[in-house]
């Protein structure tokens, strides 16, 4: 148990928090048919993260989070402006902006020297779940020991804070978000400022993306934003089940991927380990495939 707490517990908790938060917010992207926007925001935050680090010289959570939110806001405004000015459809405008922002972020990694400070491309793309360890753990008693808990990886604090903020945001603004997903024109007729709500939702998605960025990487963030929500959309037409079920499924996929990658093979006496991020992404895709087959079977009946 001590070895599990030291080597795997932090990664397990990080994957569950990242999966749950992305699964929760991803439902709104799927319901609004804007899943590509999650891809865009998860890439567009990169220049903000780099700038936040370059200005402060710190890899702490808040400078990078604020930089990422600023980049997400600019990306959202840029997508809106391009759609109106060039009269492009949403997918084209979104693709144009996120590739430009991500390319700018990669350039800034080199120009600012952030790459030499361990803010590298591999971490950005694939994350570093396996490096999240809790060496201060000394048994189950450590879970209640304030001194030992201070040794948990700093990524967990940011992930937990954003997860709590996302839950409060969804629960507190349940009705406006529902109107935004299903009938934005009716929402406007009620006096709801749809554009502002879209920006708030996008900023929350960007916060989830940057919180998960260092732990699981941008590729897995995209999978967690889309796959749990898409699987639930294939299995239910109930709004509450879609939203909260997406969060539960995302957290479950995160836990399953980490456990299957290392702890389970070790418990079975097998001398190998797999990539946790790769397994989570694979399980997410398989979940969507299973949900699709189940839907087709019910339709056939």
């Amino acid at each position: 148990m001590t070895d599990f707490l030291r080597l795997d517990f932090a990664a397990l908790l990080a994957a569950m928090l990242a999966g749950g938060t992305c699964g929760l917010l991803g439902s709104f992207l799927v319901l609004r048919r804007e899943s590509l926007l999650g891809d865009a925001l998860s890439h567009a935050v990169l220049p903000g993260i780099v700038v936040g680090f370059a200005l402060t010289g710190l890899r702490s959570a808040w400078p990078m989070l604020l930089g990422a939110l600023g980049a997400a806001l600019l990306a959202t405004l840029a997508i809106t402006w391009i759609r109106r000015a060039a009269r492009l459809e949403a997918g084209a405008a979104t693709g144009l902006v996120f590739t430009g922002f991500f390319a700018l972020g990669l350039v800034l990694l080199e120009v600012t020297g952030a790459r030499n400070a361990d803010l590298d491309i591999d971490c950005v793309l694939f994350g570093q779940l396996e490096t999240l360890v809790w060496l201060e753990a000394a048994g189950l008693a450590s879970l209640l020991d304030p001194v030992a808990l201070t040794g948990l990886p700093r990524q967990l604090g940011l992930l937990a804070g954003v997860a709590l903020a996302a839950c409060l945001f969804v629960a507190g603004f349940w009705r406006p978000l529902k109107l935004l997903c299903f009938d934005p024109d009716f929402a406007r007729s009620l006096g709801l400022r749809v554009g502002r709500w879209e920006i708030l939702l996008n900023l929350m998605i960007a916060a989830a993306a940057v919180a998960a960025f260092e732990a699981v990487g941008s590729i897995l963030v995209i999978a967690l934003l889309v796959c749990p929500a898409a699987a639930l959309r294939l299995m239910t037409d109930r709004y509450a089940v879609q939203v909260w079920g997406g969060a539960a499924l995302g957290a479950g996929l995160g836990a399953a991927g980490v456990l299957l990658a290392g702890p389970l093979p070790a418990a079975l006496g097998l001398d190998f380990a797999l990539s946790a991020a790769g397994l989570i992404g694979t399980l997410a895709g398989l979940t969507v495939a299973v949900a699709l087959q189940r839907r087709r079977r019910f339709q056939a009946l």
Side-chain angles (χ1 to χ4, degrees), residues 17-62:
L17 287 170
T21 306
C22 291
L24 174 67
L25 298 173
S27 288
F28 298 102
L29 293 174
V30 170
L31 290 173
R32 298 179 63 215
R33 299 182 180 181
E34 292 184 348
S35 297
L36 182 60
L37 187 59
D39 188 1
L41 291 176
S42 66
H43 285 78
V45 297
L46 179 58
I49 292 173
V50 177
V51 170
F53 170 79
L55 291 178
T56 62
L58 301 173
R59 291 185 61 203
S60 57
W62 288 110

mmCIF file of all heavy atoms in Angstrom, residues 17-62:
data_model
loop_
_atom_site.group_PDB
_atom_site.id
_atom_site.type_symbol
_atom_site.label_atom_id
_atom_site.label_comp_id
_atom_site.label_asym_id
_atom_site.label_seq_id
_atom_site.Cartn_x
_atom_site.Cartn_y
_atom_site.Cartn_z
ATOM 1 N N LEU A 17 -9.287 13.655 -11.629
ATOM 2 C CA LEU A 17 -9.701 15.056 -11.604
ATOM 3 C C LEU A 17 -9.737 15.643 -13.013
ATOM 4 O O LEU A 17 -10.683 16.345 -13.378
ATOM 5 C CB LEU A 17 -8.749 15.861 -10.719
ATOM 6 C CG LEU A 17 -8.870 15.636 -9.214
ATOM 7 C CD1 LEU A 17 -7.710 16.297 -8.477
ATOM 8 C CD2 LEU A 17 -10.197 16.165 -8.689
ATOM 9 N N ALA A 18 -8.701 15.346 -13.800
ATOM 10 C CA ALA A 18 -8.664 15.852 -15.175
ATOM 11 C C ALA A 18 -9.796 15.257 -16.001
ATOM 12 O O ALA A 18 -10.503 15.973 -16.727
ATOM 13 C CB ALA A 18 -7.315 15.525 -15.816
ATOM 14 N N GLY A 19 -10.000 13.942 -15.900
ATOM 15 C CA GLY A 19 -11.059 13.294 -16.664
ATOM 16 C C GLY A 19 -12.437 13.757 -16.250
ATOM 17 O O GLY A 19 -13.307 13.996 -17.100
ATOM 18 N N GLY A 20 -12.674 13.892 -14.955
ATOM 19 C CA GLY A 20 -13.976 14.339 -14.485
ATOM 20 C C GLY A 20 -14.303 15.756 -14.903
ATOM 21 O O GLY A 20 -15.422 16.050 -15.357
ATOM 22 N N THR A 21 -13.326 16.660 -14.785
ATOM 23 C CA THR A 21 -13.567 18.056 -15.153
ATOM 24 C C THR A 21 -13.782 18.202 -16.654
ATOM 25 O O THR A 21 -14.709 18.887 -17.098
ATOM 26 C CB THR A 21 -12.379 18.933 -14.712
ATOM 27 O OG1 THR A 21 -12.128 18.725 -13.322
ATOM 28 C CG2 THR A 21 -12.675 20.402 -14.956
ATOM 29 N N CYS A 22 -12.928 17.564 -17.446
ATOM 30 C CA CYS A 22 -13.075 17.648 -18.903
ATOM 31 C C CYS A 22 -14.358 16.955 -19.372
ATOM 32 O O CYS A 22 -15.037 17.444 -20.284
ATOM 33 C CB CYS A 22 -11.861 17.020 -19.593
ATOM 34 S SG CYS A 22 -10.337 17.961 -19.397
ATOM 35 N N GLY A 23 -14.703 15.813 -18.749
ATOM 36 C CA GLY A 23 -15.943 15.140 -19.105
ATOM 37 C C GLY A 23 -17.167 15.974 -18.794
ATOM 38 O O GLY A 23 -18.148 15.974 -19.542
ATOM 39 N N LEU A 24 -17.117 16.708 -17.688
ATOM 40 C CA LEU A 24 -18.225 17.584 -17.304
ATOM 41 C C LEU A 24 -18.419 18.708 -18.316
ATOM 42 O O LEU A 24 -19.528 18.921 -18.835
ATOM 43 C CB LEU A 24 -17.952 18.158 -15.916
ATOM 44 C CG LEU A 24 -18.926 19.217 -15.393
ATOM 45 C CD1 LEU A 24 -20.293 18.610 -15.140
ATOM 46 C CD2 LEU A 24 -18.380 19.858 -14.127
ATOM 47 N N LEU A 25 -17.347 19.425 -18.618
ATOM 48 C CA LEU A 25 -17.451 20.586 -19.513
ATOM 49 C C LEU A 25 -17.570 20.173 -20.973
ATOM 50 O O LEU A 25 -18.151 20.905 -21.780
ATOM 51 C CB LEU A 25 -16.233 21.497 -19.313
ATOM 52 C CG LEU A 25 -16.090 22.085 -17.903
ATOM 53 C CD1 LEU A 25 -14.765 22.831 -17.765
ATOM 54 C CD2 LEU A 25 -17.256 23.028 -17.601
ATOM 55 N N GLY A 26 -17.046 19.001 -21.315
ATOM 56 C CA GLY A 26 -17.122 18.544 -22.699
ATOM 57 C C GLY A 26 -18.539 18.301 -23.167
ATOM 58 O O GLY A 26 -18.829 18.407 -24.368
ATOM 59 N N SER A 27 -19.452 18.009 -22.238
ATOM 60 C CA SER A 27 -20.846 17.786 -22.624
ATOM 61 C C SER A 27 -21.445 19.024 -23.280
ATOM 62 O O SER A 27 -22.248 18.913 -24.211
ATOM 63 C CB SER A 27 -21.675 17.392 -21.395
ATOM 64 O OG SER A 27 -21.354 16.086 -20.971
ATOM 65 N N PHE A 28 -21.056 20.194 -22.815
ATOM 66 C CA PHE A 28 -21.600 21.419 -23.395
ATOM 67 C C PHE A 28 -21.071 21.638 -24.807
ATOM 68 O O PHE A 28 -21.775 22.164 -25.672
ATOM 69 C CB PHE A 28 -21.269 22.617 -22.491
ATOM 70 C CG PHE A 28 -21.868 22.509 -21.133
ATOM 71 C CD1 PHE A 28 -21.105 22.128 -20.037
ATOM 72 C CD2 PHE A 28 -23.225 22.744 -20.932
ATOM 73 C CE1 PHE A 28 -21.667 22.001 -18.784
ATOM 74 C CE2 PHE A 28 -23.792 22.623 -19.677
ATOM 75 C CZ PHE A 28 -23.020 22.244 -18.599
ATOM 76 N N LEU A 29 -19.835 21.221 -25.057
ATOM 77 C CA LEU A 29 -19.305 21.309 -26.414
ATOM 78 C C LEU A 29 -20.033 20.348 -27.348
ATOM 79 O O LEU A 29 -20.378 20.710 -28.476
ATOM 80 C CB LEU A 29 -17.807 20.998 -26.409
ATOM 81 C CG LEU A 29 -16.897 22.000 -25.694
ATOM 82 C CD1 LEU A 29 -15.468 21.475 -25.662
ATOM 83 C CD2 LEU A 29 -16.954 23.357 -26.367
ATOM 84 N N VAL A 30 -20.265 19.130 -26.878
ATOM 85 C CA VAL A 30 -20.946 18.132 -27.712
ATOM 86 C C VAL A 30 -22.393 18.549 -27.975
ATOM 87 O O VAL A 30 -22.889 18.458 -29.110
ATOM 88 C CB VAL A 30 -20.882 16.751 -27.048
ATOM 89 C CG1 VAL A 30 -21.782 15.756 -27.771
ATOM 90 C CG2 VAL A 30 -19.442 16.232 -27.046
ATOM 91 N N LEU A 31 -23.081 19.014 -26.953
ATOM 92 C CA LEU A 31 -24.474 19.426 -27.118
ATOM 93 C C LEU A 31 -24.607 20.622 -28.060
ATOM 94 O O LEU A 31 -25.609 20.750 -28.774
ATOM 95 C CB LEU A 31 -25.092 19.759 -25.757
ATOM 96 C CG LEU A 31 -25.328 18.571 -24.818
ATOM 97 C CD1 LEU A 31 -25.788 19.048 -23.454
ATOM 98 C CD2 LEU A 31 -26.343 17.599 -25.414
ATOM 99 N N ARG A 32 -23.611 21.493 -28.069
ATOM 100 C CA ARG A 32 -23.640 22.664 -28.947
ATOM 101 C C ARG A 32 -23.005 22.371 -30.314
ATOM 102 O O ARG A 32 -22.875 23.257 -31.139
ATOM 103 C CB ARG A 32 -22.918 23.838 -28.279
ATOM 104 C CG ARG A 32 -23.570 24.283 -26.980
ATOM 105 C CD ARG A 32 -22.806 25.420 -26.350
ATOM 106 N NE ARG A 32 -22.849 26.580 -27.236
ATOM 107 C CZ ARG A 32 -21.845 27.444 -27.366
ATOM 108 N NH1 ARG A 32 -20.701 27.250 -26.717
ATOM 109 N NH2 ARG A 32 -21.975 28.488 -28.159
ATOM 110 N N ARG A 33 -22.580 21.129 -30.510
ATOM 111 C CA ARG A 33 -21.937 20.712 -31.764
ATOM 112 C C ARG A 33 -20.698 21.546 -32.063
ATOM 113 O O ARG A 33 -20.457 21.956 -33.191
ATOM 114 C CB ARG A 33 -22.933 20.783 -32.928
ATOM 115 C CG ARG A 33 -24.145 19.871 -32.736
ATOM 116 C CD ARG A 33 -25.082 19.920 -33.907
ATOM 117 N NE ARG A 33 -26.240 19.037 -33.692
ATOM 118 C CZ ARG A 33 -27.213 18.863 -34.564
ATOM 119 N NH1 ARG A 33 -27.162 19.497 -35.733
ATOM 120 N NH2 ARG A 33 -28.225 18.067 -34.285
ATOM 121 N N GLU A 34 -19.900 21.779 -31.024
ATOM 122 C CA GLU A 34 -18.680 22.566 -31.162
ATOM 123 C C GLU A 34 -17.500 21.822 -30.533
ATOM 124 O O GLU A 34 -16.666 22.412 -29.860
ATOM 125 C CB GLU A 34 -18.850 23.938 -30.515
ATOM 126 C CG GLU A 34 -19.830 24.851 -31.226
ATOM 127 C CD GLU A 34 -19.900 26.244 -30.620
ATOM 128 O OE1 GLU A 34 -19.353 26.434 -29.497
ATOM 129 O OE2 GLU A 34 -20.489 27.135 -31.245
ATOM 130 N N SER A 35 -17.441 20.512 -30.757
ATOM 131 C CA SER A 35 -16.383 19.715 -30.140
ATOM 132 C C SER A 35 -14.994 20.165 -30.573
ATOM 133 O O SER A 35 -14.032 20.068 -29.804
ATOM 134 C CB SER A 35 -16.581 18.236 -30.485
ATOM 135 O OG SER A 35 -17.794 17.755 -29.950
ATOM 136 N N LEU A 36 -14.875 20.657 -31.802
ATOM 137 C CA LEU A 36 -13.577 21.135 -32.282
ATOM 138 C C LEU A 36 -13.087 22.316 -31.451
ATOM 139 O O LEU A 36 -11.880 22.553 -31.356
ATOM 140 C CB LEU A 36 -13.672 21.533 -33.761
ATOM 141 C CG LEU A 36 -12.376 22.009 -34.430
ATOM 142 C CD1 LEU A 36 -11.300 20.933 -34.379
ATOM 143 C CD2 LEU A 36 -12.633 22.426 -35.869
ATOM 144 N N LEU A 37 -14.004 23.035 -30.824
ATOM 145 C CA LEU A 37 -13.605 24.174 -30.005
ATOM 146 C C LEU A 37 -12.772 23.717 -28.816
ATOM 147 O O LEU A 37 -11.868 24.428 -28.376
ATOM 148 C CB LEU A 37 -14.845 24.939 -29.530
ATOM 149 C CG LEU A 37 -14.589 26.251 -28.788
ATOM 150 C CD1 LEU A 37 -13.817 27.219 -29.674
ATOM 151 C CD2 LEU A 37 -15.906 26.867 -28.342
ATOM 152 N N GLY A 38 -13.072 22.527 -28.277
ATOM 153 C CA GLY A 38 -12.251 22.002 -27.199
ATOM 154 C C GLY A 38 -10.823 21.761 -27.658
ATOM 155 O O GLY A 38 -9.861 22.048 -26.937
ATOM 156 N N ASP A 39 -10.668 21.217 -28.852
ATOM 157 C CA ASP A 39 -9.352 21.032 -29.456
ATOM 158 C C ASP A 39 -8.659 22.382 -29.610
ATOM 159 O O ASP A 39 -7.481 22.551 -29.273
ATOM 160 C CB ASP A 39 -9.516 20.347 -30.809
ATOM 161 C CG ASP A 39 -8.197 19.939 -31.427
ATOM 162 O OD1 ASP A 39 -7.148 20.172 -30.797
ATOM 163 O OD2 ASP A 39 -8.209 19.392 -32.540
ATOM 164 N N ALA A 40 -9.405 23.370 -30.105
ATOM 165 C CA ALA A 40 -8.836 24.695 -30.333
ATOM 166 C C ALA A 40 -8.350 25.314 -29.034
ATOM 167 O O ALA A 40 -7.230 25.835 -28.955
ATOM 168 C CB ALA A 40 -9.874 25.600 -31.002
ATOM 169 N N LEU A 41 -9.179 25.280 -27.996
ATOM 170 C CA LEU A 41 -8.806 25.922 -26.742
ATOM 171 C C LEU A 41 -7.652 25.200 -26.060
ATOM 172 O O LEU A 41 -6.781 25.844 -25.457
ATOM 173 C CB LEU A 41 -10.019 25.992 -25.820
ATOM 174 C CG LEU A 41 -11.131 26.948 -26.264
ATOM 175 C CD1 LEU A 41 -12.314 26.859 -25.316
ATOM 176 C CD2 LEU A 41 -10.619 28.381 -26.340
ATOM 177 N N SER A 42 -7.621 23.881 -26.145
ATOM 178 C CA SER A 42 -6.532 23.137 -25.507
ATOM 179 C C SER A 42 -5.191 23.430 -26.173
ATOM 180 O O SER A 42 -4.142 23.319 -25.529
ATOM 181 C CB SER A 42 -6.826 21.636 -25.535
ATOM 182 O OG SER A 42 -6.817 21.151 -26.862
ATOM 183 N N HIS A 43 -5.209 23.792 -27.460
ATOM 184 C CA HIS A 43 -3.979 24.201 -28.145
ATOM 185 C C HIS A 43 -3.724 25.695 -28.006
ATOM 186 O O HIS A 43 -2.574 26.129 -27.882
ATOM 187 C CB HIS A 43 -4.064 23.852 -29.636
ATOM 188 C CG HIS A 43 -3.887 22.402 -29.934
ATOM 189 N ND1 HIS A 43 -4.892 21.482 -29.746
ATOM 190 C CD2 HIS A 43 -2.819 21.695 -30.391
ATOM 191 C CE1 HIS A 43 -4.450 20.280 -30.090
ATOM 192 N NE2 HIS A 43 -3.206 20.377 -30.482
ATOM 193 N N ALA A 44 -4.789 26.482 -28.018
ATOM 194 C CA ALA A 44 -4.626 27.933 -28.014
ATOM 195 C C ALA A 44 -4.076 28.456 -26.701
ATOM 196 O O ALA A 44 -3.527 29.563 -26.661
ATOM 197 C CB ALA A 44 -5.969 28.607 -28.312
ATOM 198 N N VAL A 45 -4.204 27.693 -25.614
ATOM 199 C CA VAL A 45 -3.696 28.192 -24.334
ATOM 200 C C VAL A 45 -2.176 28.131 -24.248
ATOM 201 O O VAL A 45 -1.588 28.754 -23.358
ATOM 202 C CB VAL A 45 -4.303 27.398 -23.158
ATOM 203 C CG1 VAL A 45 -5.808 27.577 -23.106
ATOM 204 C CG2 VAL A 45 -3.941 25.919 -23.234
ATOM 205 N N LEU A 46 -1.518 27.402 -25.147
ATOM 206 C CA LEU A 46 -0.070 27.239 -25.055
ATOM 207 C C LEU A 46 0.681 28.569 -25.046
ATOM 208 O O LEU A 46 1.546 28.772 -24.179
ATOM 209 C CB LEU A 46 0.440 26.332 -26.172
ATOM 210 C CG LEU A 46 1.951 26.112 -26.202
ATOM 211 C CD1 LEU A 46 2.438 25.525 -24.885
ATOM 212 C CD2 LEU A 46 2.345 25.202 -27.366
ATOM 213 N N PRO A 47 0.423 29.523 -25.966
ATOM 214 C CA PRO A 47 1.158 30.783 -25.888
ATOM 215 C C PRO A 47 0.931 31.515 -24.582
ATOM 216 O O PRO A 47 1.844 32.163 -24.051
ATOM 217 C CB PRO A 47 0.637 31.596 -27.076
ATOM 218 C CG PRO A 47 -0.459 30.831 -27.678
ATOM 219 C CD PRO A 47 -0.440 29.456 -27.149
ATOM 220 N N GLY A 48 -0.270 31.430 -24.024
ATOM 221 C CA GLY A 48 -0.530 32.080 -22.746
ATOM 222 C C GLY A 48 0.277 31.465 -21.621
ATOM 223 O O GLY A 48 0.794 32.168 -20.740
ATOM 224 N N ILE A 49 0.394 30.126 -21.627
ATOM 225 C CA ILE A 49 1.195 29.448 -20.612
ATOM 226 C C ILE A 49 2.652 29.886 -20.695
ATOM 227 O O ILE A 49 3.295 30.199 -19.689
ATOM 228 C CB ILE A 49 1.083 27.924 -20.786
ATOM 229 C CG1 ILE A 49 -0.336 27.448 -20.455
ATOM 230 C CG2 ILE A 49 2.087 27.193 -19.903
ATOM 231 C CD1 ILE A 49 -0.572 25.986 -20.753
ATOM 232 N N VAL A 50 3.180 29.939 -21.913
ATOM 233 C CA VAL A 50 4.583 30.311 -22.106
ATOM 234 C C VAL A 50 4.820 31.757 -21.696
ATOM 235 O O VAL A 50 5.808 32.081 -21.025
ATOM 236 C CB VAL A 50 5.002 30.078 -23.569
ATOM 237 C CG1 VAL A 50 6.433 30.539 -23.795
ATOM 238 C CG2 VAL A 50 4.857 28.608 -23.935
ATOM 239 N N VAL A 51 3.913 32.643 -22.083
ATOM 240 C CA VAL A 51 4.064 34.053 -21.724
ATOM 241 C C VAL A 51 3.982 34.237 -20.207
ATOM 242 O O VAL A 51 4.752 35.002 -19.614
ATOM 243 C CB VAL A 51 2.991 34.909 -22.433
ATOM 244 C CG1 VAL A 51 2.974 36.326 -21.880
ATOM 245 C CG2 VAL A 51 3.256 34.942 -23.933
ATOM 246 N N GLY A 52 3.046 33.526 -19.566
ATOM 247 C CA GLY A 52 2.943 33.606 -18.117
ATOM 248 C C GLY A 52 4.227 33.175 -17.435
ATOM 249 O O GLY A 52 4.674 33.798 -16.462
ATOM 250 N N PHE A 53 4.854 32.122 -17.959
ATOM 251 C CA PHE A 53 6.125 31.674 -17.401
ATOM 252 C C PHE A 53 7.241 32.675 -17.701
ATOM 253 O O PHE A 53 8.057 32.988 -16.834
ATOM 254 C CB PHE A 53 6.496 30.307 -17.976
ATOM 255 C CG PHE A 53 7.897 29.877 -17.652
ATOM 256 C CD1 PHE A 53 8.200 29.356 -16.410
ATOM 257 C CD2 PHE A 53 8.915 30.007 -18.591
ATOM 258 C CE1 PHE A 53 9.499 28.973 -16.099
ATOM 259 C CE2 PHE A 53 10.211 29.636 -18.296
ATOM 260 C CZ PHE A 53 10.513 29.104 -17.042
ATOM 261 N N ALA A 54 7.264 33.191 -18.937
ATOM 262 C CA ALA A 54 8.342 34.095 -19.334
ATOM 263 C C ALA A 54 8.313 35.396 -18.533
ATOM 264 O O ALA A 54 9.359 35.949 -18.186
ATOM 265 C CB ALA A 54 8.239 34.399 -20.827
ATOM 266 N N LEU A 55 7.126 35.889 -18.211
ATOM 267 C CA LEU A 55 7.012 37.163 -17.490
ATOM 268 C C LEU A 55 7.368 37.029 -16.022
ATOM 269 O O LEU A 55 7.864 37.976 -15.401
ATOM 270 C CB LEU A 55 5.593 37.721 -17.631
ATOM 271 C CG LEU A 55 5.194 38.203 -19.030
ATOM 272 C CD1 LEU A 55 3.750 38.689 -19.032
ATOM 273 C CD2 LEU A 55 6.118 39.324 -19.507
ATOM 274 N N THR A 56 7.092 35.872 -15.439
ATOM 275 C CA THR A 56 7.306 35.700 -14.004
ATOM 276 C C THR A 56 8.517 34.832 -13.667
ATOM 277 O O THR A 56 9.060 34.925 -12.575
ATOM 278 C CB THR A 56 6.062 35.065 -13.351
ATOM 279 O OG1 THR A 56 5.850 33.760 -13.909
ATOM 280 C CG2 THR A 56 4.825 35.930 -13.616
ATOM 281 N N GLY A 57 8.912 33.975 -14.634
ATOM 282 C CA GLY A 57 9.996 33.049 -14.350
ATOM 283 C C GLY A 57 9.602 31.939 -13.408
ATOM 284 O O GLY A 57 10.456 31.219 -12.890
ATOM 285 N N LEU A 58 8.302 31.796 -13.183
ATOM 286 C CA LEU A 58 7.795 30.803 -12.233
ATOM 287 C C LEU A 58 6.965 29.752 -12.953
ATOM 288 O O LEU A 58 6.224 30.072 -13.874
ATOM 289 C CB LEU A 58 6.933 31.475 -11.158
ATOM 290 C CG LEU A 58 7.605 32.564 -10.314
ATOM 291 C CD1 LEU A 58 6.567 33.237 -9.425
ATOM 292 C CD2 LEU A 58 8.732 31.977 -9.476
ATOM 293 N N ARG A 59 7.078 28.515 -12.508
ATOM 294 C CA ARG A 59 6.242 27.442 -13.042
ATOM 295 C C ARG A 59 5.052 27.174 -12.125
ATOM 296 O O ARG A 59 4.446 26.119 -12.174
ATOM 297 C CB ARG A 59 7.055 26.158 -13.212
ATOM 298 C CG ARG A 59 8.099 26.224 -14.299
ATOM 299 C CD ARG A 59 8.755 24.886 -14.482
ATOM 300 N NE ARG A 59 7.793 23.877 -14.869
ATOM 301 C CZ ARG A 59 7.974 22.574 -14.681
ATOM 302 N NH1 ARG A 59 9.037 22.144 -14.053
ATOM 303 N NH2 ARG A 59 7.058 21.715 -15.082
ATOM 304 N N SER A 60 4.735 28.139 -11.265
ATOM 305 C CA SER A 60 3.606 27.971 -10.359
ATOM 306 C C SER A 60 2.301 28.073 -11.138
ATOM 307 O O SER A 60 2.262 28.519 -12.287
ATOM 308 C CB SER A 60 3.642 29.026 -9.243
ATOM 309 O OG SER A 60 3.650 30.321 -9.794
ATOM 310 N N ALA A 61 1.221 27.686 -10.468
ATOM 311 C CA ALA A 61 -0.055 27.531 -11.160
ATOM 312 C C ALA A 61 -0.623 28.849 -11.666
ATOM 313 O O ALA A 61 -1.042 28.954 -12.822
ATOM 314 C CB ALA A 61 -1.057 26.850 -10.221
ATOM 315 N N TRP A 62 -0.644 29.867 -10.824
ATOM 316 C CA TRP A 62 -1.419 31.057 -11.163
ATOM 317 C C TRP A 62 -0.889 31.850 -12.349
ATOM 318 O O TRP A 62 -1.685 32.263 -13.196
ATOM 319 C CB TRP A 62 -1.551 31.950 -9.933
ATOM 320 C CG TRP A 62 -2.484 31.363 -8.926
ATOM 321 C CD1 TRP A 62 -2.177 30.836 -7.698
ATOM 322 C CD2 TRP A 62 -3.891 31.171 -9.082
ATOM 323 N NE1 TRP A 62 -3.293 30.335 -7.086
ATOM 324 C CE2 TRP A 62 -4.351 30.537 -7.905
ATOM 325 C CE3 TRP A 62 -4.794 31.475 -10.093
ATOM 326 C CZ2 TRP A 62 -5.700 30.203 -7.724
ATOM 327 C CZ3 TRP A 62 -6.128 31.146 -9.905
ATOM 328 C CH2 TRP A 62 -6.564 30.522 -8.739
#
